[in-house]
């Protein structure tokens, strides 16, 4: 059989059975090299550079600019929001897990700019706010579901208001390092290459690109499945609820409590669904049967998980994974259309522009938040905010429905004097990372690092010279809530 013919047959067979074939690995990389000639390029100067305009980066840039720093946000895509707008279902979590611990006080433990953002997004009609979970209350107390397009719009609006120089469609490609300090970064856009110099830097690229280019210590754990997520239009969450109810498989549920609610629910998940042809096939191709929405007749997020064979840092491994996941998503949409009554005319209306990773590089910082720190609810002298959600609940929960602190040291990149890490790239222990990597934690890390970077720039200090009280006062001023 000719190769082309074989591939076509294999693909069709895969779509029919759910066992989509994985493309073969390509030949090893060439050993040829090319030496780039030196070149003069334009340079600009800012106080603070934030690399990556995703979940953490937006809040880092907002915090830095509000602190008075001339701030540039460098983002490779044409919008800001990152994985919060591409991968997730609900934004976990602004609250402690009070619903799982009777008698424990309900506390909104992440406040500051992230909470302000959600309040504005809710007022725009782009967020559920904080409705309480009806079932699944030992996993999260509330469900904050977002409209991803309005999220992106609001991110732009707030960045503009704060005076951040928003450099979207701009890729950070290397770093300029002198001794223990980063002096600048090199970017590429359609306009060409540019150097951007600054006093302090925040790496919020998810992948840890800036840290790696600056020579920071890192590892690549490759310990998670990656994922693309799609939106399914012409599919009503109430029909999905009826279907699960019929099969006695209703799992996590959160009602929509907004006055002008379009649906009765913002979150719906299957639990122990026994439905041959759907549940088993969905599992085989990694399609999750948990969804959230804030819209009528539209399931905003359906995840398609896939463990990349190889590394999330390998270009060719990722290219093969992108192809594979697109096939699986199409198959997932097809399964739901076929089996869920009311979904007969459903179609895939949105997908993420590229595969979302749960972890890329793990960056070594001055402190590594441990599993015990998280579940014991430890706080530190240099806390920069409190956090109370764990993605492995109810197996792992923070003691007594409380919170733990993210210490400032956990965000200071080891060996470099003016570089912070924020987002999914901190915390080595997989179990602890299953807490710190969540959206709202990344937002809090963003506000903390952006504030610190701006203060260091204003006072011409290195990150380890910044007095803790000065940072704490600025964070309190910025609305951050502390538990210790
Ligand atoms: C599939 C999936 C589902 C998830 N579900 C949930 C959930 O339901 N609830 C929850 O709370 N959390 C969830 N998470 C976790 C959470 O969403 C992420 O851990 C978090 O959003 C990561 O934020 P970040 O700022 O570290 O990275 P990101 O939000 O990914 O931001 C990184 C940004 O940097 C940009 N970038 C990268 N490299 C460069 C470069 N070289 N130059 C310029 N820009 C660059 C990227 O384009 C991106 O915008 C999920 C994660 C995944 C992957």
């Amino acid at each position: 059989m000719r190769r082309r013919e074989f591939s076509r047959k294999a693909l069709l067979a895969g779509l029919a059975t759910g066992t989509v074939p994985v493309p073969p690995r390509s030949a090893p990389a060439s050993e040829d090299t090319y030496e780039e000639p030196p070149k003069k390029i334009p340079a600009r100067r800012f106080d603070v550079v934030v690399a990556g305009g995703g979940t953490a980066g937006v809040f880092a840039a907002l915090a830095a600019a509000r602190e008075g720093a001339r701030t540039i946000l460098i983002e490779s895509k044409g919008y800001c929001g990152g994985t919060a707008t591409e991968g997730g279902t609900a934004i976990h979590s602004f609250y402690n897990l009070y619903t799982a611990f009777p008698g424990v006080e309900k506390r909104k433990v992440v406040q500051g700019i992230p909470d302000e953002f959600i309040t504005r997004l809710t007022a725009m009609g782009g967020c559920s706010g904080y409705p309480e979970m009806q079932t699944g209350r030992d996993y999260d107390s509330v469900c904050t579901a977002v409209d991803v397009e309005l999220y992106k719009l609001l991110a732009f609006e707030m960045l503009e208001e704060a005076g951040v120089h928003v450099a979207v469609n701009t890729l950070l490609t290397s770093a300029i390092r002198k001794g223990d300090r980063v002096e600048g970064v090199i970017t590429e856009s359609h306009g060409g290459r540019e150097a951007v110099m600054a006093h302090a830097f925040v790496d919020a690229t998810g992948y840890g690109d800036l840290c790696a280019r600056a020579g920071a210590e890192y590892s690549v754990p490759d310990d998670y499945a990656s994922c693309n997520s799609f939106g399914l239009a012409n599919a009503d969450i109430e029909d999905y609820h009826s279907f699960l109810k019929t099969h006695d498989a209703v799992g996590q549920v959160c009602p929509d409590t907004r006055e002008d609610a379009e649906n009765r629910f913002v979150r719906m998940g299957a639990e122990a669904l026994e439905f041959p042809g759907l549940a088993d096939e969905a599992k085989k191709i990694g399609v999750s049967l948990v969804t959230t929405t804030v819209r009528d007749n539209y399931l905003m997020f359906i995840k398609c998980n896939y463990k990349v064979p190889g590394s999330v840092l390998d270009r060719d491994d990722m290219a093969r994974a992108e192809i594979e996941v697109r096939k699986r998503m199409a198959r997932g949409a097809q399964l739901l259309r076929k089996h869920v009554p009311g979904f007969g005319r459903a179609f895939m209306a949105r997908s993420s522009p590229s595969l979302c990773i749960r972890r890329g590089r793990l960056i070594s910082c001055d402190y590594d938040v441990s599993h015990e720190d998280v579940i014991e609810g430890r706080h530190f002298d240099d806390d920069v905010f409190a956090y109370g959600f764990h993605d492995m609940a109810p197996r792992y929960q923070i003691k007594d429905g409380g919170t733990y602190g993210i210490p400032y040291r956990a965000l200071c990149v080891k060996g470099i004097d003016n570089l912070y890490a924020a987002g999914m790239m901190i915390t080595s222990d997989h179990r602890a990372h299953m807490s710190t990597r969540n959206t709202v934690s990344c937002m809090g890390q963003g506000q903390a690092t952006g504030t610190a970077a701006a203060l260091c720039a204003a006072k011409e200090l290195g990150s380890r010279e910044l007095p803790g009280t000065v940072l704490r006062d600025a964070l309190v001023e910025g609305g951050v809530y502390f538990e210790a």
Side-chain angles (χ1 to χ4, degrees), residues 121-144:
L121 191 59
T122 307
M124 285 165 81
C127 181
S128 62
Y130 305 107
E132 200 166 277
M133 296 280 280
Q134 208 166 62
T135 54
R137 291 156 58 91
D138 52 358
Y139 171 66
D140 198 354
S141 300
V142 299
C143 175
T144 303

Side-chain angles (χ1 to χ4, degrees), residues 336-389:
L336 290 162
R337 190 164 49 230
K338 180 172 168 193
H339 294 294
V340 181
F343 281 19
R345 296 173 70 80
F347 62 94
M348 202 194 300
R350 180 199 69 78
S351 68
S352 306
S354 51
L355 210 53
C356 302
I357 55 162
R358 289 184 167 86
R359 154 124 88 176
R361 293 184 184 86
L362 161 65
I363 305 300
S364 301
C365 292
D366 288 358
Y367 185 79
D368 188 17
V369 176
S370 73
H371 176 54
E372 289 70 30
D373 291 340
V374 172
I375 59 166
E376 291 296 324
R378 290 180 187 152
H379 286 272
F380 306 88
D381 287 347
D382 59 343
D383 273 5
V384 285
F385 66 101
Y387 193 56
F389 175 80

Side-chain angles (χ1 to χ4, degrees), residues 54-56 75-76 83 88-90 92 172 205 209 227 357 424 437 439:
T55 314
E75 166 56 46
S76 57
T83 306
T89 45
H92 302 302
L172 179 144
T205 60
D209 281 10
C227 176
I357 55 162
M424 66 171 102
R437 77 183 181 95
T439 320

